[in-house]
């Protein structure tokens, strides 16, 4: 086939009537593409290798220590790393409960702030709010710890006393002898909620802002109010992102060390197990941080701390796996 000017297609020029070249814009297989692809794959594999090596190290150090443990590692509440009597039951309870309560407190506020910044606030206020939220996420943990112990704890005592007086018949709010001053699991949960709130808010804000305009305008065109539009278009679209952001915040709360170490009171000796949020105790991270300096020359004690770190490592993996399953199911349902 020849063009009007008489130049044949075989001369290297395509006929405009044939339409766009299917290969235009596609990968050409050049050296740059191959190098970039190799670097991207290498970076991904490096992360997997590093995580695997960390897991192998923890297993290699923890298994011998657990073998020397003189009590049940999974069910005992006693913790004496130097005496080879260590159980994780109390640490696991405190870690999980404080993180979950923090998540329950933070997520509603985070979603509300994200919706306000993306759909209600004027542009100038939205920009300022976004910057302030991002700056709040950059505050160091030790600052939150100092703020919690010196500012929040004295004032939180009144809240704790009120809950104990009026809701003490509920096991979660039952008073615990020997734990005073407001430095309880509940107060740590409040501080952790403040710490993870900017992370969840920032990610949720970005997800809500990506809601297709056609979805929102379609809902409004059908007569929906702004809230109805958010409920039927924005929230369903952003739900997987909010779940992912929440799990990221939960991971931050599970591994928080310095703030918890500063705030949470030590568990009274000989105390029987209680499910109360008014109790003291320690999380995995705070227990490791508190015991490591004085036991760094004791191989058996360090093995016990590494065993606790292994449990926290596994717990974090479980949380991330659950988040991935939830997000994938939501995505399949929406499709």
């Amino acid at each position: 086939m020849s063009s009007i000017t008489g130049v044949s297609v075989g001369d290297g020029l395509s006929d405009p009537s044939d339409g766009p070249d299917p290969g235009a814009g596609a990968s050409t297989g050049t050296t740059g593409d191959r190098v970039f692809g190799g670097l991207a794959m290498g970076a991904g594999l490096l992360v997997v290798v590093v995580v695997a090596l960390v897991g192998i190290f923890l297993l290699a150090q923890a298994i011998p220590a657990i073998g020397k443990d003189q009590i049940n590692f999974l069910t005992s509440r006693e913790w004496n790393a130097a005496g080879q009597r260590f159980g994780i039951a109390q640490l696991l309870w405190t870690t999980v409960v404080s993180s979950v309560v923090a998540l329950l407190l933070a997520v509603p506020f985070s979603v509300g702030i994200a919706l306000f910044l993306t759909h209600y606030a004027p542009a100038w206020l939205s920009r300022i709010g976004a910057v302030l939220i991002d700056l709040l996420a950059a505050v160091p943990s030790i600052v939150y710890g100092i703020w919690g112990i010196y500012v929040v704890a004295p004032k939180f005592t009144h809240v704790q006393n009120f809950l104990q007086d009026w809701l003490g018949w509920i096991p979660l709010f039952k008073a615990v002898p020997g734990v005073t001053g407001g430095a309880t699991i509940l107060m740590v949960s409040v501080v952790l909620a403040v710490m993870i709130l900017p992370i969840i808010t920032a990610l949720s804000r970005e997800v809500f802002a990506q809601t297709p305009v056609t979805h929102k305008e379609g809902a409004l065109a059908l007569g929906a109010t702004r809230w109805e539009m958010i409920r039927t278009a924005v929230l369903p679209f952003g739900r997987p992102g909010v779940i992912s952001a929440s799990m990221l915040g939960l991971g931050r709360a599970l591994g928080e060390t310095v703030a918890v170490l500063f705030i949470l009171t030590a568990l009274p000796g000989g105390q029987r197990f209680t499910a109360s949020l008014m109790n003291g105790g320690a999380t995995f991270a705070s227990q490791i941080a508190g015991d490591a300096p004085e036991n760094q020359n004791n191989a058996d004690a360090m093995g016990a701390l590494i065993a606790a770190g292994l449990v926290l490592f596994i717990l974090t993996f479980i949380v991330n796996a659950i988040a991935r399953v939830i997000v994938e199911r939501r995505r399949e349902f929406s499709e």
Side-chain angles (χ1 to χ4, degrees):
M1 178 178 178
S2 301
S3 65
I4 298 177
T5 59
V7 180
S8 64
V9 176
D11 294 333
L13 300 176
S14 61
D15 189 346
S17 63
D18 292 339
D21 184 1
S27 174
T28 59
T30 61
T31 302
D33 292 331
R34 291 194 295 270
V35 170
F36 180 78
L39 290 175
M41 180 180 295
L45 291 176
L46 178 62
V47 173
V48 174
V49 170
V50 170
V51 173
L53 290 176
V54 171
I56 293 172
F57 166 78
L58 292 175
L59 282 171
Q61 297 293 322
I63 291 177
I66 295 175
K68 298 178 182 179
D69 193 2
Q70 300 177 14
I71 56 178
N72 193 297
F73 178 69
L74 296 176
T75 61
S76 176
R77 297 175 54 248
E78 181 181 353
W79 184 269
N80 183 4
Q84 298 182 8
R85 296 179 62 85
F86 49 92
I88 63 168
Q90 187 69 43
L91 297 178
L92 182 62
W93 169 260
T94 306
T95 301
V96 173
V97 169
S98 61
S99 300
V100 170
V101 173
L103 190 66
L104 294 176
L105 293 174
V107 170
F109 286 99
S110 299
V111 173
I113 294 171
L115 289 175
F116 172 75
L117 294 178
T118 53
H119 291 89
Y120 288 94
W124 65 269
L125 181 58
S126 179
R127 288 193 296 269
I128 295 175
V131 171
L132 292 177
I133 291 294
D134 293 339
L135 289 177
L136 191 61
V139 176
S141 299
I142 191 170
V143 175
Y144 282 110
I146 296 174
W147 170 70
I149 193 64
Y150 291 111
V151 178
V152 180
K155 296 179 175 56
F156 195 79
T157 303
H158 305 293
V159 178
Q160 177 178 303
N161 294 337
F162 174 82
L163 293 175
Q164 290 175 350
D165 293 339
W166 292 93
L167 299 176
W169 54 274
I170 301 176
L172 285 177
F173 301 106
K174 185 177 180 180
V176 178
V179 179
T180 58
T184 60
I185 295 176
L186 182 60
M187 201 207 75
V188 166
S189 300
V190 172
V191 175
L192 290 176
V194 176
M195 294 179 68
I196 66 177
L197 184 143
I199 299 175
I200 303 175
T201 301
L203 295 177
S204 299
R205 185 186 73 243
E206 294 298 327
V207 172
F208 292 151
Q210 297 302 319
T211 305
V213 177
T214 54
H215 292 186
K216 297 187 289 186
E217 292 182 349
L220 294 174
L222 292 174
T225 63
R226 181 179 298 184
W227 164 242
E228 290 172 338
M229 177 271 293
I230 291 174
R231 183 170 55 85
T232 58
V234 177
L235 290 179
F237 177 84
R239 187 177 293 115
V242 172
I243 294 173
S244 299
S246 300
M247 293 302 103
L248 184 62
L250 179 59
R252 166 75 187 275
L254 288 171
E256 179 53 43
T257 304
V258 177
V260 178
L261 185 63
F262 268 48
I263 297 171
L264 198 56
T265 59
L267 191 66
Q271 184 199 81
R272 301 178 62 182
F273 175 76
T274 173
S276 177
L277 297 177
M278 305 303 172
N279 202 2
T283 63
F284 283 113
S286 66
Q287 187 71 57
I288 294 171
D291 289 357
E294 62 186 35
N295 293 303
Q296 57 184 347
N297 296 323
N298 188 332
D300 293 332
M302 291 302 297
L305 298 178
I306 292 176
L310 175 63
V311 177
L312 180 59
F313 185 77
I314 296 173
L315 182 62
T316 305
F317 258 89
I318 292 174
V319 169
N320 290 332
I322 293 174
R324 178 57 56 187
V325 170
I326 294 174
V327 171
E328 291 299 330
R329 286 185 177 180
R330 290 289 184 181
R331 187 174 299 168
E332 292 174 2
F333 178 77
S334 62
E335 292 177 353

